[in-house]
Amino acid sequence: MAAIAQEKSSELDPVTITATINPVASSKTGRNLFVLKGEDIAKLPVHSLDEVLRYIPGFEVQARGPMGAQSDLVLRGGTFQQVLVVIDGLRINDPNTGHFNSYIPVVPAEIERIEVLKGASSAIYGSDAVGGVVHIITKTFAYTGVPSKSFSGGVTGGAYGLLNANASGYYSNEKLAVSAGAQTNNADGQAQRGIDGYFHLHTVSAAASYKLNNQWKIAYRSSFDSRKFAAQNFYTSFASDTAAEKVTTWWQQLALSYHKNNNHFTWQTGYKHVNDHYGYNPSSIANNSKSKLLQSLAVYEHSFNNDLSLVTGAQFQQKGISSNDRGNHTVYQAAGFASLNAALNKHFTVSPGVRLDWDEASGYELVPQLNASYKQGSFQVRGSAGKTIRNADFTERYNNYNKTLVTSGRIGNPDLSAERSFSYEAGADYFGKNFRVSTTLFQRRHSDLIDWSTTAYADMPRKENLSATGTYALARNISKLITSGWETDVQWIYTMNNQRSFTANAGFIWLNSETNAGFASFYTNSHAKFMVNGSLRYSTPLFAISVNGLYKTREAQAAANIKGQITTEYFVASVKADVFVIKNKLSVYAEADNVFNRSYADLLGAQMPGRWLMGGIRFTY
């Protein structure tokens, strides 16, 4: 029983590397964090990483299509470009558009854990870490020399031509760790307005880590991700939009680390190449864009003692695009940062940090942050304040800029300023024997926030390739936006006689955004006004039941020409039932996604599927 209690304690207050880079208990970061273990992903009624994130407490995922076709990630009411996604310490946000940020090129079975850090994080991570950070930590890169081996896989079939499959393996000894995996999700799809919502989504990834000696370790990852899907009204509300899109991603990552006594140094480099082929309809000329992200990150950590550690780092990025729609562009970025983690006594911890960021397009930015926490017994209070920044992506700067004639659509703006904001938060936590409750009040004050707004031809700053009769949306800076909110997260873990277990996670978030822009924009108010989401699972040696649920309210929208509608509220749930044929090795399951057959959309025109029935088999060794 002592071992079980210790395991619960570590799950409710896990060690994290996302908030301060150096490993510390989440209660010592001054931040609201949620950590999901990789082994729990396969137990949920989900089929892709964006669906996993959708049910993390307080995390809003605005889905355009199912099972990984495309989703926008939203934390604390930010826009979809304001969440930074990181794999083993390196950022993967695409320089072309934030719509691709949910394309995470890692097979779920390779994941050790997912850490979601809510709130301002630009002092360490730079641009995009406004609403928060999603950090994917893989088994191979987290390898510490403990021997282990596993192999798992599964097949799912269902309605609308659904066929999903996955397989992965992991092996490690005292010096070497290797992993490899593949996942494919396919369906003819349910009927939409103009076409069926088909998708063919494939990910293959492999990694290896090797301890050169007691101090040095090297790790390498290579991944390929291909997604072909119906994209009708993903980006427009025109009736002529029957789009199809294919996005392919290559991801390479190399890490070299040194650890001796109180010194820890890591150098990483990564290269991401994305090819996007988008056809608005069969008669239009397709957009072809190739984007690249080359980066290098060096981090040095020194622990003076158990109560004081210093992290310093330097980062370099080269972002580029070659496109028949957006043109050819390259932007360089560099930064240096430092963060101190100090336990002033056994109760009080502070973590000040600062970053000096330089972007070729936006210039220099000094980004400070201060986190603090005080814990007494099972109770904790915490607070954080910091500046955040975000630089415009290539779509916001150059969309439709390179075409001969644009009769309607979104028009980029090369003169955009970088977004700046300042965030404040204060929270409290209770760590019980079987549960944890965290509640946070926060506010984010933006200046120069970037969004799209319907703009008359006469007011367009550039008219060279535009039609005077066209309908356009221009990327613009909004002078001020204030987002205020309250969130509460609940985690419950209960084990009965080490045979039956019950786990539950739930999040409640209320949000309000106010602007003085004087014009309507697309994404600043697309977030939920109130949302409840979460999951629960009951497991015995013979069977298990898992349920995901999501309820949210938001502003209503309608587009009569495409019969599109955003309702003021919706509730959607999925259920999965497992029967264990061979304990801990073989199971069969049945699943119902959108079990109540709700008609809903997160974004206007991008209709989500109704009830979807499926079943499958899963094995683990």
Side-chain angles (χ1 to χ4, degrees):
M1 294 299 293
I4 296 173
Q6 179 67 30
E7 182 179 349
K8 291 177 185 175
S9 175
S10 64
E11 288 188 54
L12 295 173
D13 189 14
V15 172
T16 172
I17 62 171
T18 303
T20 57
I21 293 183
N22 55 310
V24 295
S26 64
S27 59
K28 294 184 178 181
T29 64
R31 308 300 303 275
N32 188 13
L33 283 130
F34 184 89
V35 179
L36 176 68
K37 295 191 298 183
E39 64 191 60
D40 292 334
I41 294 175
K43 302 173 184 177
L44 300 171
V46 296
H47 307 275
S48 59
L49 288 179
D50 59 334
E51 289 187 344
V52 173
L53 297 173
R54 193 182 193 194
Y55 299 103
I56 285 180
F59 201 126
E60 183 180 8
V61 173
Q62 298 176 349
R64 286 184 168 84
M67 302 189 188
Q70 190 178 105
S71 295
D72 290 346
L73 308 181
V74 176
L75 276 171
R76 291 188 173 177
T79 63
F80 62 91
Q81 297 103 327
Q82 293 177 346
V83 174
L84 178 65
V85 182
V86 175
I87 297 179
D88 292 317
L90 286 185
R91 57 189 297 133
I92 65 164
N93 282 31
D94 194 78
N96 183 1
T97 173
H99 292 310
F100 297 164
N101 291 345
S102 64
Y103 297 162
I104 301 171
V106 171
V107 174
E110 289 192 277
I111 295 174
E112 172 73 18
R113 64 188 186 275
I114 300 175
E115 298 185 1
V116 175
L117 170 61
K118 300 178 183 180
S121 308
S122 286
I124 291 178
Y125 293 100
S127 180
D128 305 342
V130 179
V133 176
V134 177
H135 195 170
I136 310 293
I137 299 163
T138 65
K139 296 175 182 178
T140 308
F141 273 64
Y143 154 76
T144 57
V146 178
S148 177
K149 59 183 177 181
S150 64
F151 180 75
S152 64
V155 177
T156 302
Y160 308 104
L162 178 71
L163 179 60
N164 297 349
N166 65 86
S168 65
Y170 175 81
Y171 170 82
S172 66
N173 57 30
E174 289 81 1
K175 283 198 167 186
L176 174 69
V178 292
S179 66
Q183 174 175 283
T184 180
N185 292 342
N186 307 270
D188 301 328
Q190 299 185 24
Q192 298 180 339
R193 175 183 50 80
I195 56 176
D196 288 342
Y198 71 87
F199 53 84
H200 302 286
L201 318 170
H202 320 294
T203 304
V204 180
S205 60
S209 181
Y210 184 72
K211 293 181 70 174
L212 302 173
N213 52 42
N214 290 334
Q215 290 82 43
W216 289 94
K217 183 179 80 170
I218 189 169
Y220 178 73
R221 171 176 299 282
S222 180
S223 304
F224 175 73
D225 187 274
S226 174
R227 311 201 182 206
K228 183 178 180 181
F229 49 89
Q232 178 179 279
N233 295 125
F234 275 22
Y235 314 115
T236 83
S237 57
F238 298 135
S240 55
D241 181 350
T242 56
E245 189 164 13
K246 183 177 181 180
V247 184
T248 57
T249 303
W250 280 100
W251 170 252
Q252 314 290 323
Q253 183 173 1
L254 175 67
L256 182 66
S257 62
Y258 170 84
H259 194 180
K260 184 177 181 181
N261 299 328
N262 296 330
N263 299 294
H264 190 183
F265 172 78
T266 302
W267 172 80
Q268 293 199 75
T269 187
Y271 179 73
K272 180 183 180 183
H273 183 275
V274 176
N275 188 2
D276 175 37
H277 178 89
Y278 172 80
Y280 176 77
N281 59 33
S283 62
S284 65
I285 298 174
N287 292 348
N288 288 292
S289 301
K290 296 180 179 179
S291 58
K292 65 179 181 179
L293 171 63
L294 175 65
Q295 61 185 308
S296 185
L297 174 67
V299 177
Y300 170 71
E301 176 198 343
H302 179 74
S303 298
F304 297 95
N305 51 51
N306 292 333
D307 298 325
L308 183 64
S309 63
L310 174 68
V311 174
T312 59
Q315 184 182 52
F316 167 81
Q317 295 180 72
Q318 181 194 55
K319 304 175 182 179
I321 191 169
S322 175
S323 171
N324 66 332
D325 171 69
R326 294 154 175 80
N328 303 328
H329 310 277
T330 301
V331 173
Y332 294 90
Q333 184 271 342
F337 60 89
S339 175
L340 190 70
N341 194 60
L344 303 185
N345 54 46
K346 66 179 182 178
H347 303 295
F348 188 42
T349 304
V350 295
S351 301
V354 66
R355 179 186 181 98
L356 181 61
D357 196 280
W358 172 79
D359 182 89
E360 183 179 13
S362 305
Y364 288 93
E365 292 284 347
L366 188 66
V367 185
Q369 178 127 7
L370 177 63
N371 311 318
S373 66
Y374 181 86
K375 186 178 181 184
Q376 179 75 48
S378 298
F379 292 91
Q380 174 183 252
V381 292
R382 51 184 164 77
S384 178
K387 180 180 178 181
T388 61
I389 56 174
R390 188 181 78 82
N391 300 303
D393 59 37
F394 288 126
T395 296
E396 291 169 321
R397 291 190 181 279
Y398 302 109
N399 193 58
N400 278 324
Y401 228 67
N402 207 45
K403 292 182 177 178
T404 304
L405 177 65
V406 181
T407 56
S408 292
R410 300 187 185 188
I411 308 300
N413 183 356
D415 297 325
L416 289 170
S417 300
E419 292 182 359
R420 300 170 181 85
S421 65
F422 207 88
S423 296
Y424 315 82
E425 65 178 84
D429 309 288
Y430 174 76
F431 299 86
K433 180 181 178 181
N434 299 300
F435 67 96
R436 172 180 176 174
V437 179
S438 302
T439 188
T440 309
L441 294 170
F442 57 88
Q443 186 175 85
R444 185 171 60 249
R445 293 176 170 264
H446 278 284
S447 60
D448 292 328
L449 184 139
I450 301 167
D451 200 4
W452 304 87
S453 177
T454 300
T455 304
Y457 171 83
D459 296 327
M460 298 296 288
R462 174 182 180 271
K463 303 181 177 67
E464 282 83 345
N465 63 341
L466 306 184
S467 168
T469 60
T471 301
Y472 299 105
L474 177 68
R476 305 170 65 174
N477 286 110
I478 297 173
S479 55
K480 288 186 179 180
L481 177 78
I482 300 175
T483 298
S484 305
W486 155 78
E487 65 188 10
T488 295
D489 302 340
V490 180
Q491 294 175 262
W492 186 27
I493 304 170
Y494 185 65
T495 303
M496 296 157 278
N497 301 322
N498 205 25
Q499 293 290 314
R500 295 175 293 160
S501 64
F502 186 89
T503 60
N505 304 306
F508 308 82
I509 186 167
W510 170 87
L511 288 157
N512 181 61
S513 293
E514 297 179 354
T515 179
N516 66 349
F519 54 85
S521 60
F522 288 9
Y523 294 108
T524 55
N525 256 314
S526 69
H527 61 75
K529 305 301 180 184
F530 176 72
M531 185 177 75
V532 181
N533 68 336
S535 60
L536 59 88
R537 177 177 172 85
Y538 176 72
S539 179
T540 76
L542 298 178
F543 69 92
I545 302 290
S546 301
V547 180
N548 290 340
L550 166 66
Y551 170 81
K552 65 178 171 182
T553 65
R554 65 270 174 89
E555 289 189 355
Q557 300 178 52
N561 59 320
I562 60 171
K563 299 181 180 179
Q565 185 179 19
I566 297 290
T567 56
T568 56
E569 61 180 358
Y570 76 76
F571 171 75
V572 64
S574 298
V575 180
K576 180 180 179 182
D578 293 87
V579 175
F580 302 117
V581 180
I582 302 176
K583 184 178 180 181
N584 298 326
K585 288 183 173 62
L586 181 65
S587 64
V588 295
Y589 62 88
E591 182 178 335
D593 289 356
N594 191 359
V595 65
F596 299 114
N597 199 30
R598 301 302 189 199
S599 177
Y600 75 101
D602 283 321
L603 295 156
L604 189 62
Q607 187 68 24
M608 290 296 290
R611 184 186 296 116
W612 206 323
L613 302 178
M614 62 197 74
I617 185 170
R618 177 172 176 79
F619 59 89
T620 302
Y621 172 73

